[in-house]
PDB file of all heavy atoms in Angstrom:
ATOM      1  N   TYR A 150     -39.183  22.923-161.978  1.00  0.00           N
ATOM      2  CA  TYR A 150     -40.392  23.076-162.798  1.00  0.00           C
ATOM      3  C   TYR A 150     -41.050  24.437-162.533  1.00  0.00           C
ATOM      4  O   TYR A 150     -41.586  25.075-163.441  1.00  0.00           O
ATOM      5  CB  TYR A 150     -41.382  21.941-162.535  1.00  0.00           C
ATOM      6  CG  TYR A 150     -42.101  21.994-161.219  1.00  0.00           C
ATOM      7  CD1 TYR A 150     -43.287  22.722-161.079  1.00  0.00           C
ATOM      8  CD2 TYR A 150     -41.601  21.332-160.100  1.00  0.00           C
ATOM      9  CE1 TYR A 150     -43.945  22.777-159.862  1.00  0.00           C
ATOM     10  CE2 TYR A 150     -42.253  21.388-158.876  1.00  0.00           C
ATOM     11  CZ  TYR A 150     -43.432  22.113-158.762  1.00  0.00           C
ATOM     12  OH  TYR A 150     -44.086  22.162-157.567  1.00  0.00           O
ATOM     13  N   ALA A 151     -40.982  24.902-161.261  1.00  0.00           N
ATOM     14  CA  ALA A 151     -41.545  26.210-160.921  1.00  0.00           C
ATOM     15  C   ALA A 151     -40.724  27.321-161.577  1.00  0.00           C
ATOM     16  O   ALA A 151     -41.271  28.318-162.068  1.00  0.00           O
ATOM     17  CB  ALA A 151     -41.567  26.390-159.409  1.00  0.00           C
ATOM     18  N   GLY A 152     -39.416  27.131-161.607  1.00  0.00           N
ATOM     19  CA  GLY A 152     -38.543  28.104-162.249  1.00  0.00           C
ATOM     20  C   GLY A 152     -38.805  28.212-163.738  1.00  0.00           C
ATOM     21  O   GLY A 152     -38.797  29.305-164.311  1.00  0.00           O
ATOM     22  N   LYS A 153     -39.048  27.066-164.374  1.00  0.00           N
ATOM     23  CA  LYS A 153     -39.336  27.062-165.807  1.00  0.00           C
ATOM     24  C   LYS A 153     -40.630  27.819-166.110  1.00  0.00           C
ATOM     25  O   LYS A 153     -40.699  28.627-167.046  1.00  0.00           O
ATOM     26  CB  LYS A 153     -39.448  25.624-166.322  1.00  0.00           C
ATOM     27  CG  LYS A 153     -38.131  24.865-166.358  1.00  0.00           C
ATOM     28  CD  LYS A 153     -38.352  23.449-166.866  1.00  0.00           C
ATOM     29  CE  LYS A 153     -37.050  22.663-166.904  1.00  0.00           C
ATOM     30  NZ  LYS A 153     -37.250  21.272-167.370  1.00  0.00           N
ATOM     31  N   ILE A 154     -41.658  27.547-165.300  1.00  0.00           N
ATOM     32  CA  ILE A 154     -42.946  28.235-165.493  1.00  0.00           C
ATOM     33  C   ILE A 154     -42.781  29.738-165.286  1.00  0.00           C
ATOM     34  O   ILE A 154     -43.290  30.552-166.066  1.00  0.00           O
ATOM     35  CB  ILE A 154     -44.004  27.675-164.512  1.00  0.00           C
ATOM     36  CG1 ILE A 154     -44.315  26.214-164.851  1.00  0.00           C
ATOM     37  CG2 ILE A 154     -45.279  28.514-164.559  1.00  0.00           C
ATOM     38  CD1 ILE A 154     -45.205  25.526-163.845  1.00  0.00           C
ATOM     39  N   ALA A 155     -42.043  30.112-164.219  1.00  0.00           N
ATOM     40  CA  ALA A 155     -41.842  31.529-163.912  1.00  0.00           C
ATOM     41  C   ALA A 155     -41.081  32.247-165.023  1.00  0.00           C
ATOM     42  O   ALA A 155     -41.442  33.355-165.430  1.00  0.00           O
ATOM     43  CB  ALA A 155     -41.089  31.673-162.590  1.00  0.00           C
ATOM     44  N   VAL A 156     -40.038  31.595-165.535  1.00  0.00           N
ATOM     45  CA  VAL A 156     -39.228  32.196-166.599  1.00  0.00           C
ATOM     46  C   VAL A 156     -40.052  32.360-167.877  1.00  0.00           C
ATOM     47  O   VAL A 156     -39.999  33.415-168.530  1.00  0.00           O
ATOM     48  CB  VAL A 156     -37.970  31.350-166.876  1.00  0.00           C
ATOM     49  CG1 VAL A 156     -37.338  31.750-168.198  1.00  0.00           C
ATOM     50  CG2 VAL A 156     -36.960  31.510-165.757  1.00  0.00           C
ATOM     51  N   CYS A 157     -40.822  31.337-168.236  1.00  0.00           N
ATOM     52  CA  CYS A 157     -41.657  31.413-169.446  1.00  0.00           C
ATOM     53  C   CYS A 157     -42.698  32.517-169.315  1.00  0.00           C
ATOM     54  O   CYS A 157     -42.927  33.290-170.254  1.00  0.00           O
ATOM     55  CB  CYS A 157     -42.335  30.071-169.705  1.00  0.00           C
ATOM     56  SG  CYS A 157     -41.205  28.764-170.241  1.00  0.00           S
ATOM     57  N   ALA A 158     -43.348  32.591-168.145  1.00  0.00           N
ATOM     58  CA  ALA A 158     -44.357  33.627-167.917  1.00  0.00           C
ATOM     59  C   ALA A 158     -43.724  35.014-167.965  1.00  0.00           C
ATOM     60  O   ALA A 158     -44.269  35.946-168.581  1.00  0.00           O
ATOM     61  CB  ALA A 158     -45.035  33.400-166.568  1.00  0.00           C
ATOM     62  N   ALA A 159     -42.566  35.155-167.305  1.00  0.00           N
ATOM     63  CA  ALA A 159     -41.876  36.444-167.287  1.00  0.00           C
ATOM     64  C   ALA A 159     -41.457  36.851-168.694  1.00  0.00           C
ATOM     65  O   ALA A 159     -41.550  38.033-169.061  1.00  0.00           O
ATOM     66  CB  ALA A 159     -40.641  36.373-166.379  1.00  0.00           C
ATOM     67  N   PHE A 160     -41.029  35.876-169.496  1.00  0.00           N
ATOM     68  CA  PHE A 160     -40.595  36.171-170.860  1.00  0.00           C
ATOM     69  C   PHE A 160     -41.765  36.667-171.711  1.00  0.00           C
ATOM     70  O   PHE A 160     -41.633  37.644-172.452  1.00  0.00           O
ATOM     71  CB  PHE A 160     -39.993  34.920-171.492  1.00  0.00           C
ATOM     72  CG  PHE A 160     -39.530  35.115-172.913  1.00  0.00           C
ATOM     73  CD1 PHE A 160     -38.374  35.812-173.196  1.00  0.00           C
ATOM     74  CD2 PHE A 160     -40.279  34.615-173.974  1.00  0.00           C
ATOM     75  CE1 PHE A 160     -37.957  36.011-174.504  1.00  0.00           C
ATOM     76  CE2 PHE A 160     -39.877  34.802-175.279  1.00  0.00           C
ATOM     77  CZ  PHE A 160     -38.705  35.508-175.547  1.00  0.00           C
ATOM     78  N   VAL A 161     -42.917  36.010-171.595  1.00  0.00           N
ATOM     79  CA  VAL A 161     -44.095  36.411-172.376  1.00  0.00           C
ATOM     80  C   VAL A 161     -44.536  37.817-171.983  1.00  0.00           C
ATOM     81  O   VAL A 161     -44.803  38.667-172.844  1.00  0.00           O
ATOM     82  CB  VAL A 161     -45.258  35.409-172.168  1.00  0.00           C
ATOM     83  CG1 VAL A 161     -46.541  35.947-172.797  1.00  0.00           C
ATOM     84  CG2 VAL A 161     -44.912  34.059-172.766  1.00  0.00           C
ATOM     85  N   VAL A 162     -44.604  38.070-170.674  1.00  0.00           N
ATOM     86  CA  VAL A 162     -45.010  39.396-170.190  1.00  0.00           C
ATOM     87  C   VAL A 162     -44.007  40.452-170.637  1.00  0.00           C
ATOM     88  O   VAL A 162     -44.385  41.549-171.073  1.00  0.00           O
ATOM     89  CB  VAL A 162     -45.139  39.397-168.650  1.00  0.00           C
ATOM     90  CG1 VAL A 162     -45.366  40.820-168.136  1.00  0.00           C
ATOM     91  CG2 VAL A 162     -46.275  38.488-168.216  1.00  0.00           C
ATOM     92  N   TYR A 163     -42.722  40.110-170.555  1.00  0.00           N
ATOM     93  CA  TYR A 163     -41.680  41.064-170.937  1.00  0.00           C
ATOM     94  C   TYR A 163     -41.772  41.421-172.423  1.00  0.00           C
ATOM     95  O   TYR A 163     -41.667  42.597-172.789  1.00  0.00           O
ATOM     96  CB  TYR A 163     -40.300  40.502-170.625  1.00  0.00           C
ATOM     97  CG  TYR A 163     -39.185  41.373-171.148  1.00  0.00           C
ATOM     98  CD1 TYR A 163     -38.822  42.541-170.470  1.00  0.00           C
ATOM     99  CD2 TYR A 163     -38.519  41.065-172.331  1.00  0.00           C
ATOM    100  CE1 TYR A 163     -37.829  43.372-170.954  1.00  0.00           C
ATOM    101  CE2 TYR A 163     -37.526  41.884-172.817  1.00  0.00           C
ATOM    102  CZ  TYR A 163     -37.180  43.036-172.134  1.00  0.00           C
ATOM    103  OH  TYR A 163     -36.205  43.859-172.630  1.00  0.00           O
ATOM    104  N   VAL A 164     -41.960  40.427-173.269  1.00  0.00           N
ATOM    105  CA  VAL A 164     -42.042  40.676-174.710  1.00  0.00           C
ATOM    106  C   VAL A 164     -43.214  41.598-175.033  1.00  0.00           C
ATOM    107  O   VAL A 164     -43.080  42.542-175.831  1.00  0.00           O
ATOM    108  CB  VAL A 164     -42.170  39.346-175.492  1.00  0.00           C
ATOM    109  CG1 VAL A 164     -42.527  39.618-176.958  1.00  0.00           C
ATOM    110  CG2 VAL A 164     -40.871  38.559-175.413  1.00  0.00           C
ATOM    111  N   CYS A 165     -44.369  41.344-174.415  1.00  0.00           N
ATOM    112  CA  CYS A 165     -45.545  42.195-174.644  1.00  0.00           C
ATOM    113  C   CYS A 165     -45.274  43.627-174.167  1.00  0.00           C
ATOM    114  O   CYS A 165     -45.594  44.601-174.860  1.00  0.00           O
ATOM    115  CB  CYS A 165     -46.760  41.618-173.917  1.00  0.00           C
ATOM    116  SG  CYS A 165     -47.330  40.030-174.565  1.00  0.00           S
ATOM    117  N   ASP A 166     -44.687  43.729-172.983  1.00  0.00           N
ATOM    118  CA  ASP A 166     -44.358  45.033-172.410  1.00  0.00           C
ATOM    119  C   ASP A 166     -43.334  45.765-173.274  1.00  0.00           C
ATOM    120  O   ASP A 166     -43.441  46.969-173.526  1.00  0.00           O
ATOM    121  CB  ASP A 166     -43.805  44.842-170.991  1.00  0.00           C
ATOM    122  CG  ASP A 166     -43.810  46.134-170.172  1.00  0.00           C
ATOM    123  OD1 ASP A 166     -44.085  47.198-170.744  1.00  0.00           O
ATOM    124  OD2 ASP A 166     -43.524  46.059-168.968  1.00  0.00           O
ATOM    125  N   PHE A 167     -42.333  45.024-173.759  1.00  0.00           N
ATOM    126  CA  PHE A 167     -41.294  45.631-174.594  1.00  0.00           C
ATOM    127  C   PHE A 167     -41.882  46.166-175.900  1.00  0.00           C
ATOM    128  O   PHE A 167     -41.548  47.274-176.335  1.00  0.00           O
ATOM    129  CB  PHE A 167     -40.203  44.609-174.903  1.00  0.00           C
ATOM    130  CG  PHE A 167     -39.095  45.152-175.751  1.00  0.00           C
ATOM    131  CD1 PHE A 167     -38.030  45.830-175.176  1.00  0.00           C
ATOM    132  CD2 PHE A 167     -39.116  45.004-177.136  1.00  0.00           C
ATOM    133  CE1 PHE A 167     -37.009  46.341-175.959  1.00  0.00           C
ATOM    134  CE2 PHE A 167     -38.095  45.515-177.923  1.00  0.00           C
ATOM    135  CZ  PHE A 167     -37.044  46.194-177.336  1.00  0.00           C
ATOM    136  N   CYS A 168     -42.750  45.379-176.536  1.00  0.00           N
ATOM    137  CA  CYS A 168     -43.367  45.818-177.799  1.00  0.00           C
ATOM    138  C   CYS A 168     -44.196  47.087-177.592  1.00  0.00           C
ATOM    139  O   CYS A 168     -44.155  48.014-178.409  1.00  0.00           O
ATOM    140  CB  CYS A 168     -44.239  44.702-178.371  1.00  0.00           C
ATOM    141  SG  CYS A 168     -43.310  43.271-178.956  1.00  0.00           S
ATOM    142  N   TYR A 169     -44.935  47.129-176.478  1.00  0.00           N
ATOM    143  CA  TYR A 169     -45.760  48.291-176.159  1.00  0.00           C
ATOM    144  C   TYR A 169     -44.883  49.527-175.925  1.00  0.00           C
ATOM    145  O   TYR A 169     -45.157  50.626-176.431  1.00  0.00           O
ATOM    146  CB  TYR A 169     -46.596  47.990-174.919  1.00  0.00           C
ATOM    147  CG  TYR A 169     -47.426  49.134-174.413  1.00  0.00           C
ATOM    148  CD1 TYR A 169     -48.414  49.726-175.198  1.00  0.00           C
ATOM    149  CD2 TYR A 169     -47.224  49.645-173.125  1.00  0.00           C
ATOM    150  CE1 TYR A 169     -49.182  50.783-174.725  1.00  0.00           C
ATOM    151  CE2 TYR A 169     -47.978  50.704-172.646  1.00  0.00           C
ATOM    152  CZ  TYR A 169     -48.959  51.262-173.447  1.00  0.00           C
ATOM    153  OH  TYR A 169     -49.707  52.309-172.980  1.00  0.00           O
ATOM    154  N   SER A 170     -43.800  49.346-175.164  1.00  0.00           N
ATOM    155  CA  SER A 170     -42.893  50.455-174.860  1.00  0.00           C
ATOM    156  C   SER A 170     -42.109  50.890-176.097  1.00  0.00           C
ATOM    157  O   SER A 170     -41.900  52.079-176.334  1.00  0.00           O
ATOM    158  CB  SER A 170     -41.923  50.050-173.744  1.00  0.00           C
ATOM    159  OG  SER A 170     -42.618  49.718-172.565  1.00  0.00           O
ATOM    160  N   ALA A 171     -41.659  49.914-176.889  1.00  0.00           N
ATOM    161  CA  ALA A 171     -40.895  50.225-178.098  1.00  0.00           C
ATOM    162  C   ALA A 171     -41.742  51.012-179.089  1.00  0.00           C
ATOM    163  O   ALA A 171     -41.237  51.897-179.790  1.00  0.00           O
ATOM    164  CB  ALA A 171     -40.384  48.943-178.741  1.00  0.00           C
ATOM    165  N   SER A 172     -43.041  50.689-179.154  1.00  0.00           N
ATOM    166  CA  SER A 172     -43.938  51.408-180.053  1.00  0.00           C
ATOM    167  C   SER A 172     -43.954  52.897-179.722  1.00  0.00           C
ATOM    168  O   SER A 172     -43.908  53.752-180.615  1.00  0.00           O
ATOM    169  CB  SER A 172     -45.352  50.828-179.943  1.00  0.00           C
ATOM    170  OG  SER A 172     -46.255  51.559-180.733  1.00  0.00           O
ATOM    171  N   ALA A 173     -43.990  53.199-178.413  1.00  0.00           N
ATOM    172  CA  ALA A 173     -43.954  54.607-177.987  1.00  0.00           C
ATOM    173  C   ALA A 173     -42.589  55.217-178.258  1.00  0.00           C
ATOM    174  O   ALA A 173     -42.479  56.370-178.683  1.00  0.00           O
ATOM    175  CB  ALA A 173     -44.297  54.700-176.500  1.00  0.00           C
ATOM    176  N   ALA A 174     -41.534  54.434-178.043  1.00  0.00           N
ATOM    177  CA  ALA A 174     -40.170  54.943-178.242  1.00  0.00           C
ATOM    178  C   ALA A 174     -39.906  55.281-179.710  1.00  0.00           C
ATOM    179  O   ALA A 174     -39.192  56.241-180.015  1.00  0.00           O
ATOM    180  CB  ALA A 174     -39.154  53.912-177.750  1.00  0.00           C
ATOM    181  N   PHE A 175     -40.469  54.505-180.625  1.00  0.00           N
ATOM    182  CA  PHE A 175     -40.268  54.763-182.053  1.00  0.00           C
ATOM    183  C   PHE A 175     -40.881  56.100-182.479  1.00  0.00           C
ATOM    184  O   PHE A 175     -40.481  56.665-183.494  1.00  0.00           O
ATOM    185  CB  PHE A 175     -40.858  53.634-182.896  1.00  0.00           C
ATOM    186  CG  PHE A 175     -39.953  52.438-183.020  1.00  0.00           C
ATOM    187  CD1 PHE A 175     -40.367  51.187-182.580  1.00  0.00           C
ATOM    188  CD2 PHE A 175     -38.684  52.552-183.568  1.00  0.00           C
ATOM    189  CE1 PHE A 175     -39.532  50.085-182.693  1.00  0.00           C
ATOM    190  CE2 PHE A 175     -37.842  51.456-183.680  1.00  0.00           C
ATOM    191  CZ  PHE A 175     -38.270  50.218-183.235  1.00  0.00           C
TER     192      PHE A 175
END
Side-chain angles (χ1 to χ4, degrees):
Y150 73 87
K153 290 179 180 179
I154 294 173
V156 165
C157 290
F160 179 75
V161 171
V162 172
Y163 173 78
V164 169
C165 294
D166 196 351
F167 180 85
C168 291
Y169 176 61
S170 300
S172 176
F175 278 121

